[in-house]
Amino acid sequence: MLGFLNALKSRQITIFFTVLAMTMLLFVMSKHPIGLTPDSISYSSIAKIISQGHGVVYDSGEALTHWPPLYPMMLSMVSQIFQVDVLTAGKTLNIGLMGLLVLLFNLIISQLRFNNSWCVVLNLVLLFSPSLLYYKILLSISTDQAFILTISK
């Protein structure tokens, strides 16, 4: 088996694990509703406000000072580009960011000159790391009905 792994090119490994990571996340998100935290509720409502053209502000109109503005701005941008609601934009953005994470991870591995067998092992460690498993579990938590009512206004 190791001979087969060494015969693979690093690009093939990168493409395989990038597609695998994005597919795993898509599968989790399609089977379970998106999980919510207080941060995600704030990011989503701020992204909706940005999409409506009110700027980077809270519902009250105050300037955003507690959370970093880049993620809500990216959510708003994806929402506007694909003409979808903020929750769908969040799913799309998260899948794209997962692919970017794996691509950058593989770029670092290639710069460190690991052989292909180690690249496969390290990618498996990344995909099944506690942090990413927690992220996938968090996505499977059922949705809070109050949040649905808040963003459907």
Side-chain angles (χ1 to χ4, degrees):
M1 170 124 179
L2 290 179
F4 170 74
L5 292 177
N6 286 327
L8 290 174
K9 294 187 165 107
S10 64
R11 278 196 183 148
Q12 292 170 325
I13 293 171
T14 300
I15 291 168
F16 174 76
F17 280 104
T18 300
V19 170
L20 179 64
M22 293 171 75
T23 304
M24 286 172 59
L25 189 57
L26 180 64
F27 177 76
V28 168
M29 287 192 295
S30 68
K31 294 290 181 190
H32 305 286
I34 192 165
L36 300 173
T37 64
D39 289 354
S40 65
I41 292 169
S42 294
Y43 284 140
S44 298
S45 66
I46 292 166
K48 186 174 180 181
I49 292 168
I50 293 170
S51 293
Q52 294 169 347
H54 299 295
V56 186
V57 295
Y58 295 108
D59 292 332
S60 63
E62 294 178 53
L64 178 67
T65 57
H66 187 72
W67 283 279
L70 183 60
Y71 189 71
M73 290 168 58
M74 290 170 57
L75 274 177
S76 175
M77 182 177 68
V78 170
S79 174
Q80 293 295 314
I81 289 172
F82 294 110
Q83 295 297 308
V84 294
D85 64 303
V86 174
L87 285 178
T88 304
K91 291 177 181 181
T92 305
L93 182 61
N94 285 343
I95 291 170
L97 291 174
M98 176 64 77
L100 184 61
L101 170 74
V102 175
L103 283 173
L104 292 174
F105 181 75
N106 278 280
L107 179 66
I108 292 169
I109 290 174
S110 69
Q111 294 298 314
L112 295 174
R113 309 243 189 258
F114 284 106
N115 67 29
N116 290 345
S117 299
W118 275 106
C119 290
V120 169
V121 169
L122 291 172
N123 273 287
L124 289 172
V125 168
L126 173 68
L127 288 182
F128 297 103
S129 69
S131 297
L132 287 182
L133 289 177
Y134 173 75
Y135 178 70
K136 291 171 192 164
I137 290 168
L138 180 65
L139 288 175
S140 68
I141 297 171
S142 62
T143 347
D144 182 12
Q145 296 303 320
F147 175 69
I148 297 295
L149 294 174
T150 301
I151 63 169
S152 64
K153 290 182 181 180

